[in-house]
Amino acid sequence: MIFIGWRRLIRLCSRHIFSTSLKQKDGSSCSLWKCYHQKTSGSLLDPEMRLFLEKNTEVISSGNLTPEIRLRLLTPRCRFWHDKAALWPYGDPYWAIYWPGGQGLARYLLDNPEVVREKRVLDLGSGCGATAIAAMMSGALHVVANDIDPVAGAAMLLNCELNNLNPFHVLTENLIGTEVDNWDLIILGDMFYSEALADSLHQWLKNHIQTHRTKVLIGDPGRPYFVCHKIQKQLLKVSEYDLTKSTQQENNGSTSTVVWHYQP
């Protein structure tokens, strides 16, 4: 688990965290868990899950690149930041961190709304949902957020409420390697955590672009499995943003994040 501070969390994120769906720790049948499986909408937000998330996260709108967006995140002022990891009842809450790649993507969409206006957008590995929210704010026609952690889906619904947005659909199945709908734009941030995952993403995104002419934007602060991957030869830098001091401290000193256009 990850409540030993930000540095511990970032080290753990070097693992391949998108290969299999996260499971509830005790393995028992849980209505809170089941109600977010596959597809989530506002009407499915279980009252107990809402209470749990509202009690154990903090609403943040500063210290990152998008002060326009309010998010429920884990902070040092939250109980589970300090409690024993075993007390957290769900899978590792990677969704509760606003990662720098996602920050850059969200900032870019807010500054360049024409990129998503009237477009059908898939946010892959959505986490807290900030990039999907930025797409909605910028006039996207239809947004779907994808994250394999169903609790992330619940958190995204709360974050939509915080930003006075109608909730978008959330898919919790692993889409990588599958046939999916024809999207105008696929956005993904902070997803290149292992060599195997990088290879899978590279091929899946390439196939999607060649089949559907989908535009793909990637946000990344310079993670090793991204900067050393062969995908680098097919990237066009779109924008670069200096990270806030607090984000730099929380991400091993990374000073900037970059938005790339993948063009195989």
Side-chain angles (χ1 to χ4, degrees):
M1 283 294 288
I2 63 176
F3 307 105
I4 318 292
W6 292 89
R7 292 180 182 177
R8 169 73 170 152
L9 173 57
I10 291 162
R11 285 200 299 272
L12 284 172
C13 280
S14 64
R15 301 181 305 179
H16 185 177
I17 64 172
F18 208 77
S19 59
T20 58
S21 296
L22 296 173
K23 303 293 184 182
Q24 189 184 17
K25 282 191 166 185
D26 62 9
S28 63
S29 176
C30 176
S31 62
L32 297 185
W33 191 258
K34 290 180 179 179
C35 71
Y36 302 105
H37 182 60
Q38 299 301 321
K39 184 174 289 188
T40 308
S41 64
S43 62
L44 293 178
L45 187 50
D46 185 279
E48 292 183 54
M49 178 61 79
R50 175 188 290 274
L51 180 62
F52 178 85
L53 293 176
E54 289 178 343
K55 182 178 179 180
N56 294 293
T57 57
E58 181 181 11
V59 177
I60 297 296
S61 61
S62 61
N64 55 62
L65 295 177
T66 57
E68 305 97 317
I69 299 176
R70 304 178 72 210
L71 299 167
R72 284 199 166 275
L73 303 173
L74 274 175
T75 75
R77 290 176 290 278
C78 298
R79 168 195 167 191
F80 282 106
W81 188 270
H82 306 284
D83 271 359
K84 293 181 179 180
L87 297 178
W88 180 262
Y90 305 108
D92 292 348
Y94 297 101
W95 58 265
I97 309 300
Y98 195 8
W99 301 100
Q103 289 189 36
L105 275 172
R107 181 73 268 159
Y108 178 73
L109 298 183
L110 292 171
D111 291 343
N112 302 275
E114 68 280 359
V115 174
V116 295
R117 187 178 294 126
E118 297 301 314
K119 299 291 194 341
R120 299 175 72 252
V121 181
L122 173 65
D123 182 15
L124 188 70
S126 191
C128 66
T131 308
I133 288 171
M136 293 278 287
M137 288 180 167
S138 299
L141 177 66
H142 180 59
V143 175
V144 170
N146 172 231
D147 197 289
I148 60 169
D149 186 350
V151 183
M156 286 185 232
L157 299 183
L158 290 180
N159 288 335
C160 284
E161 290 182 5
L162 284 174
N163 294 281
N164 300 312
L165 296 172
N166 292 326
F168 38 71
H169 285 300
V170 179
L171 298 178
T172 59
E173 61 186 293
N174 185 352
L175 296 182
I176 300 173
T178 68
E179 293 291 333
V180 295
D181 293 338
N182 181 7
W183 301 97
D184 299 311
L185 175 67
I186 295 177
I187 48 180
L188 61 152
D190 307 286
M191 285 287 290
F192 287 75
Y193 285 115
S194 74
E195 184 177 0
L197 179 57
D199 288 342
S200 297
L201 279 170
H202 182 208
Q203 189 58 51
W204 184 75
L205 292 169
K206 180 180 178 180
N207 291 343
H208 210 75
I209 292 170
Q210 293 176 342
T211 301
H212 300 295
R213 295 183 173 273
T214 302
K215 183 175 182 178
V216 173
L217 295 177
I218 300 171
D220 193 274
R223 302 183 188 281
Y225 289 111
F226 183 67
V227 299
C228 296
H229 196 271
K230 58 186 177 182
I231 196 174
Q232 288 290 319
K233 298 178 180 179
Q234 300 169 314
L235 297 174
L236 174 67
K237 182 188 286 189
V238 173
S239 189
E240 184 169 3
Y241 300 95
D242 293 330
L243 297 172
T244 64
K245 289 184 178 180
S246 59
T247 303
Q248 291 181 30
Q249 294 170 355
E250 294 155 0
N251 288 272
N252 291 340
S254 297
T255 59
S256 66
T257 187
V258 179
V259 176
W260 302 92
H261 183 192
Y262 176 37
Q263 298 176 307

